[in-house]
Amino acid sequence: AYNSSTGITTVGTLPVTGNLTANFGGGSVSGNLNVPLAGSNFGMSLSGGISGSNFSGSGSCSGCSSATFQGFFAGAAASRAGLVYQFGAGGSLGTVSGAAVFTKTGSSAY
């Protein structure tokens, strides 16, 4: 997290958890992320579109302003996915940015 008003950076130490579902036929992705940071827990609900091997979108976020994300699929049959996310946490945290990676567990779920 980076607060541009104070110049203070806060580094998270707990793992981000969540899931991602890809609907390749419909060209959409959805999922959720749980981001623990500085004693707070930020839950995001994500939805977006797929373009080739890339995807992007936005989401709602508990305890913060709306989230945005961008990602890509990699590996045989899109067996992996990675994304970067950003949301405004407000208060002393400012803007939170991070990354998450996923491994395929079903026909379209990560």
Side-chain angles (χ1 to χ4, degrees):
Y2 177 71
N3 186 323
S4 60
S5 298
T6 63
I8 295 175
T9 299
T10 304
V11 177
T13 57
L14 298 173
V16 172
T17 59
N19 63 55
L20 181 70
T21 300
N23 179 339
F24 294 105
S28 65
V29 293
S30 62
N32 65 67
L33 289 176
N34 184 44
V35 180
L37 179 65
S40 295
N41 194 29
F42 301 98
M44 292 179 281
S45 177
L46 307 173
S47 64
I50 299 172
S51 177
S53 62
N54 299 310
F55 58 91
S56 63
S58 61
S60 60
C61 186
S62 63
C64 59
S65 64
S66 62
T68 59
F69 66 95
Q70 296 180 345
F72 64 95
F73 299 104
S79 60
R80 307 275 190 266
L83 65 82
V84 293
Y85 59 87
Q86 186 171 46
F87 60 87
S92 63
L93 291 176
T95 301
V96 176
S97 301
V101 295
F102 301 91
T103 300
K104 191 175 190 178
T105 58
S107 61
S108 63
Y110 291 84

